[in-house]
mmCIF file of all heavy atoms in Angstrom:
data_model
loop_
_atom_site.group_PDB
_atom_site.id
_atom_site.type_symbol
_atom_site.label_atom_id
_atom_site.label_comp_id
_atom_site.label_asym_id
_atom_site.label_seq_id
_atom_site.Cartn_x
_atom_site.Cartn_y
_atom_site.Cartn_z
ATOM 1 N N GLY A 131 -1.150 22.445 -2.865
ATOM 2 C CA GLY A 131 -2.605 22.341 -2.750
ATOM 3 C C GLY A 131 -3.110 22.559 -1.399
ATOM 4 O O GLY A 131 -4.256 23.205 -1.185
ATOM 5 N N GLU A 224 -27.284 29.907 2.095
ATOM 6 C CA GLU A 224 -28.692 29.582 1.761
ATOM 7 C C GLU A 224 -28.669 28.747 0.484
ATOM 8 O O GLU A 224 -28.334 29.286 -0.642
ATOM 9 C CB GLU A 224 -29.475 30.976 1.573
ATOM 10 C CG GLU A 224 -31.079 30.598 1.618
ATOM 11 C CD GLU A 224 -31.845 31.754 1.373
ATOM 12 O OE1 GLU A 224 -31.383 32.925 1.498
ATOM 13 O OE2 GLU A 224 -33.013 31.606 0.874
ATOM 14 N N GLY A 225 -29.219 27.589 0.453
ATOM 15 C CA GLY A 225 -29.355 26.796 -0.696
ATOM 16 C C GLY A 225 -28.088 26.444 -1.358
ATOM 17 O O GLY A 225 -28.258 25.766 -2.465
ATOM 18 N N GLN A 226 -26.933 26.476 -0.734
ATOM 19 C CA GLN A 226 -25.670 26.094 -1.408
ATOM 20 C C GLN A 226 -24.651 25.668 -0.398
ATOM 21 O O GLN A 226 -24.716 25.887 0.813
ATOM 22 C CB GLN A 226 -25.094 27.223 -2.235
ATOM 23 C CG GLN A 226 -24.680 28.504 -1.464
ATOM 24 C CD GLN A 226 -24.337 29.547 -2.458
ATOM 25 O OE1 GLN A 226 -23.605 29.468 -3.405
ATOM 26 N NE2 GLN A 226 -24.709 30.789 -1.995
ATOM 27 N N LEU A 227 -23.661 24.834 -0.931
ATOM 28 C CA LEU A 227 -22.518 24.565 -0.104
ATOM 29 C C LEU A 227 -21.285 24.593 -1.106
ATOM 30 O O LEU A 227 -21.170 24.095 -2.168
ATOM 31 C CB LEU A 227 -22.655 22.945 0.242
ATOM 32 C CG LEU A 227 -21.578 22.392 1.063
ATOM 33 C CD1 LEU A 227 -21.528 22.982 2.532
ATOM 34 C CD2 LEU A 227 -21.611 20.831 1.247
ATOM 35 N N THR A 229 -17.315 23.480 -1.081
ATOM 36 C CA THR A 229 -16.318 22.531 -0.397
ATOM 37 C C THR A 229 -14.962 22.714 -1.035
ATOM 38 O O THR A 229 -14.858 22.602 -2.314
ATOM 39 C CB THR A 229 -16.857 21.099 -0.562
ATOM 40 O OG1 THR A 229 -18.090 20.946 -0.099
ATOM 41 C CG2 THR A 229 -15.927 20.197 0.193
ATOM 42 N N ARG A 231 -11.424 20.991 -0.800
ATOM 43 C CA ARG A 231 -10.790 19.724 -0.237
ATOM 44 C C ARG A 231 -9.424 19.488 -0.778
ATOM 45 O O ARG A 231 -9.015 19.669 -1.912
ATOM 46 C CB ARG A 231 -11.728 18.470 -0.717
ATOM 47 C CG ARG A 231 -11.139 17.188 -0.333
ATOM 48 C CD ARG A 231 -12.064 15.981 -0.581
ATOM 49 N NE ARG A 231 -11.300 14.770 -0.171
ATOM 50 C CZ ARG A 231 -12.036 13.770 0.387
ATOM 51 N NH1 ARG A 231 -13.399 13.785 0.543
ATOM 52 N NH2 ARG A 231 -11.376 12.691 0.785
ATOM 53 N N HIS A 232 -8.508 19.036 -0.009
ATOM 54 C CA HIS A 232 -7.141 18.602 -0.374
ATOM 55 C C HIS A 232 -6.802 17.283 0.153
ATOM 56 O O HIS A 232 -7.145 16.961 1.292
ATOM 57 C CB HIS A 232 -6.101 19.687 0.175
ATOM 58 C CG HIS A 232 -4.715 19.352 -0.245
ATOM 59 N ND1 HIS A 232 -3.751 18.616 0.500
ATOM 60 C CD2 HIS A 232 -4.124 19.483 -1.422
ATOM 61 C CE1 HIS A 232 -2.694 18.476 -0.123
ATOM 62 N NE2 HIS A 232 -2.809 18.977 -1.308
ATOM 63 N N ASP A 233 -6.354 16.392 -0.701
ATOM 64 C CA ASP A 233 -5.961 15.000 -0.470
ATOM 65 C C ASP A 233 -4.483 14.967 -0.725
ATOM 66 O O ASP A 233 -3.982 15.201 -1.828
ATOM 67 C CB ASP A 233 -6.715 14.042 -1.418
ATOM 68 C CG ASP A 233 -8.127 13.912 -1.131
ATOM 69 O OD1 ASP A 233 -8.568 13.183 -0.180
ATOM 70 O OD2 ASP A 233 -8.972 14.585 -1.927
ATOM 71 N N PHE A 235 -1.701 12.311 -0.940
ATOM 72 C CA PHE A 235 -1.540 10.781 -1.007
ATOM 73 C C PHE A 235 -0.316 10.339 -0.758
ATOM 74 O O PHE A 235 -0.023 9.116 -0.233
ATOM 75 C CB PHE A 235 -1.928 10.319 -2.442
ATOM 76 C CG PHE A 235 -3.353 10.652 -2.882
ATOM 77 C CD1 PHE A 235 -3.700 11.533 -3.917
ATOM 78 C CD2 PHE A 235 -4.493 10.128 -2.102
ATOM 79 C CE1 PHE A 235 -4.937 11.840 -4.315
ATOM 80 C CE2 PHE A 235 -5.748 10.444 -2.556
ATOM 81 C CZ PHE A 235 -5.928 11.342 -3.521
ATOM 82 N N SER A 239 3.570 15.132 -2.713
ATOM 83 C CA SER A 239 2.869 16.347 -2.653
ATOM 84 C C SER A 239 3.538 17.589 -2.280
ATOM 85 O O SER A 239 3.271 18.736 -2.622
ATOM 86 C CB SER A 239 1.565 16.088 -1.873
ATOM 87 O OG SER A 239 1.885 15.893 -0.407
ATOM 88 N N GLY B 131 -21.283 31.060 -4.334
ATOM 89 C CA GLY B 131 -20.437 29.949 -4.172
ATOM 90 C C GLY B 131 -19.813 29.489 -5.575
ATOM 91 O O GLY B 131 -18.758 29.076 -5.591
ATOM 92 N N GLU B 224 1.598 15.987 -8.330
ATOM 93 C CA GLU B 224 2.300 14.863 -7.833
ATOM 94 C C GLU B 224 1.819 14.614 -6.290
ATOM 95 O O GLU B 224 1.983 15.497 -5.565
ATOM 96 C CB GLU B 224 3.803 15.136 -7.814
ATOM 97 C CG GLU B 224 4.557 13.733 -7.668
ATOM 98 C CD GLU B 224 6.099 14.020 -7.507
ATOM 99 O OE1 GLU B 224 6.531 15.034 -7.991
ATOM 100 O OE2 GLU B 224 6.627 13.146 -7.076
ATOM 101 N N GLY B 225 1.189 13.361 -6.052
ATOM 102 C CA GLY B 225 0.981 13.038 -4.765
ATOM 103 C C GLY B 225 -0.178 13.732 -4.139
ATOM 104 O O GLY B 225 -0.470 13.547 -2.946
ATOM 105 N N GLN B 226 -0.942 14.501 -4.869
ATOM 106 C CA GLN B 226 -2.136 15.334 -4.292
ATOM 107 C C GLN B 226 -3.247 15.625 -5.193
ATOM 108 O O GLN B 226 -3.010 15.543 -6.418
ATOM 109 C CB GLN B 226 -1.472 16.634 -3.696
ATOM 110 C CG GLN B 226 -1.003 17.632 -4.795
ATOM 111 C CD GLN B 226 -0.371 18.863 -4.208
ATOM 112 O OE1 GLN B 226 -0.808 19.441 -3.147
ATOM 113 N NE2 GLN B 226 0.776 19.393 -4.722
ATOM 114 N N LEU B 227 -4.298 15.906 -4.694
ATOM 115 C CA LEU B 227 -5.429 16.329 -5.398
ATOM 116 C C LEU B 227 -6.218 17.487 -4.682
ATOM 117 O O LEU B 227 -6.452 17.375 -3.498
ATOM 118 C CB LEU B 227 -6.532 15.181 -5.504
ATOM 119 C CG LEU B 227 -7.665 15.385 -6.386
ATOM 120 C CD1 LEU B 227 -7.416 15.568 -7.684
ATOM 121 C CD2 LEU B 227 -8.735 14.164 -5.945
ATOM 122 N N THR B 229 -9.674 19.665 -4.706
ATOM 123 C CA THR B 229 -11.037 19.684 -5.347
ATOM 124 C C THR B 229 -11.737 20.803 -4.809
ATOM 125 O O THR B 229 -11.763 21.080 -3.573
ATOM 126 C CB THR B 229 -11.774 18.269 -4.767
ATOM 127 O OG1 THR B 229 -11.039 17.234 -5.093
ATOM 128 C CG2 THR B 229 -13.095 18.160 -5.568
ATOM 129 N N ARG B 231 -15.599 22.258 -4.968
ATOM 130 C CA ARG B 231 -16.839 21.759 -5.389
ATOM 131 C C ARG B 231 -17.900 22.722 -4.894
ATOM 132 O O ARG B 231 -17.818 23.265 -3.743
ATOM 133 C CB ARG B 231 -17.036 20.451 -4.617
ATOM 134 C CG ARG B 231 -18.491 19.943 -4.752
ATOM 135 C CD ARG B 231 -18.682 18.435 -4.212
ATOM 136 N NE ARG B 231 -20.060 18.082 -4.314
ATOM 137 C CZ ARG B 231 -20.397 16.888 -4.584
ATOM 138 N NH1 ARG B 231 -19.576 15.881 -4.747
ATOM 139 N NH2 ARG B 231 -21.750 16.517 -4.788
ATOM 140 N N HIS B 232 -18.983 22.825 -5.831
ATOM 141 C CA HIS B 232 -20.052 23.720 -5.398
ATOM 142 C C HIS B 232 -21.333 22.875 -5.640
ATOM 143 O O HIS B 232 -21.567 22.356 -6.679
ATOM 144 C CB HIS B 232 -20.209 24.946 -6.192
ATOM 145 C CG HIS B 232 -21.403 25.928 -5.786
ATOM 146 N ND1 HIS B 232 -22.448 26.005 -6.514
ATOM 147 C CD2 HIS B 232 -21.522 26.587 -4.728
ATOM 148 C CE1 HIS B 232 -23.223 26.875 -5.974
ATOM 149 N NE2 HIS B 232 -22.758 27.282 -4.790
ATOM 150 N N ASP B 233 -22.273 22.796 -4.472
ATOM 151 C CA ASP B 233 -23.563 22.233 -4.642
ATOM 152 C C ASP B 233 -24.566 23.354 -4.575
ATOM 153 O O ASP B 233 -24.582 24.109 -3.596
ATOM 154 C CB ASP B 233 -23.672 21.329 -3.461
ATOM 155 C CG ASP B 233 -22.742 20.076 -3.483
ATOM 156 O OD1 ASP B 233 -23.141 19.132 -4.162
ATOM 157 O OD2 ASP B 233 -21.762 20.040 -2.919
ATOM 158 N N PHE B 235 -28.410 23.650 -3.956
ATOM 159 C CA PHE B 235 -29.533 22.753 -3.613
ATOM 160 C C PHE B 235 -31.043 23.394 -3.979
ATOM 161 O O PHE B 235 -32.039 22.572 -4.218
ATOM 162 C CB PHE B 235 -29.500 22.453 -2.191
ATOM 163 C CG PHE B 235 -28.310 21.713 -1.717
ATOM 164 C CD1 PHE B 235 -27.425 22.292 -0.845
ATOM 165 C CD2 PHE B 235 -28.008 20.456 -2.186
ATOM 166 C CE1 PHE B 235 -26.208 21.577 -0.446
ATOM 167 C CE2 PHE B 235 -26.885 19.785 -1.866
ATOM 168 C CZ PHE B 235 -26.036 20.401 -0.939
#
Side-chain angles (χ1 to χ4, degrees):
Chain A
E224 196 189 337
Q226 67 185 316
L227 180 71
T229 305
R231 174 175 180 142
H232 184 252
D233 293 277
F235 297 117
S239 64
Chain B
E224 195 189 339
Q226 68 186 318
L227 181 70
T229 306
R231 175 175 178 141
H232 184 252
D233 293 277
F235 298 116

